[in-house]
């Protein structure tokens, strides 16, 4: 049941990304310690499906999307997901991930 819900959420997030010309790529060659990355200027996201973290893929994707959709693009050009990020932009992306 959870996988079905997660698949549905991811599908909706991909639709949102597509409507905003945001490119999302899964990189299956990354190690389990490599975080997801968002490039705000290029409107691109690299997701690491192999990442060993307790935060699920759909929330991480929503978080990275929120950097592009709602973030301050002047603050930083590249973001790496941080589960415990305390910086303003990371906290804002955590909050805005729910909007996606």
């Amino acid at each position: 049941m959870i996988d079905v819900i997660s698949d549905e959420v991811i599908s909706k997030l991909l639709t949102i990304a597509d409507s905003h010309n945001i490119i999302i790529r899964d990189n299956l060659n990354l190690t389990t310690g490599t975080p997801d990355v968002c490039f705000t200027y290029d409107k691109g996201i690299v997701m690491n499906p192999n990442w060993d973290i307790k935060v699920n893929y759909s929330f991480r994707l929503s978080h990275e999307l929120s950097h592009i959709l709602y973030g301050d693009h002047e603050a930083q050009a590249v973001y790496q997901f941080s589960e415990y990020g305390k910086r303003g932009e990371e906290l804002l992306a955590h909050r805005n991930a729910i909007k996606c």
Side-chain angles (χ1 to χ4, degrees):
M1 176 74 166
I2 291 176
D3 287 338
V4 172
I5 293 169
S6 183
D7 289 346
E8 187 176 321
V9 169
I10 290 168
S11 178
K12 288 182 180 185
L13 292 172
L14 293 175
T15 299
I16 291 168
D18 187 53
S19 71
H20 292 283
N21 299 314
I22 299 169
I23 298 169
I24 298 169
R25 297 288 182 254
D26 281 344
N27 188 331
L28 300 173
N29 297 316
L30 297 174
T31 67
T32 59
T34 304
D36 308 313
V37 180
C38 170
F39 303 92
T40 59
Y41 293 132
D42 297 327
K43 295 177 84 172
I45 298 169
V46 176
M47 296 295 294
N48 180 3
N50 302 321
W51 194 14
D52 186 20
I53 188 171
K54 293 182 183 187
V55 179
N56 71 29
Y57 182 97
S58 57
F59 182 81
R60 293 177 6 232
L61 176 57
S62 184
H63 171 99
E64 299 305 336
L65 277 172
S66 75
H67 276 303
I68 295 171
L69 296 174
Y70 308 113
D72 178 1
H73 297 180
E74 301 299 318
Q76 194 168 328
V78 178
Y79 292 95
Q80 290 183 327
F81 185 88
S82 173
E83 184 176 7
Y84 303 108
K86 304 274 189 230
R87 294 185 22 225
E89 281 296 307
E90 287 303 304
L91 291 174
L92 182 63
H94 285 329
R95 286 188 211 109
N96 285 332
I98 297 166
K99 288 183 183 179
C100 291

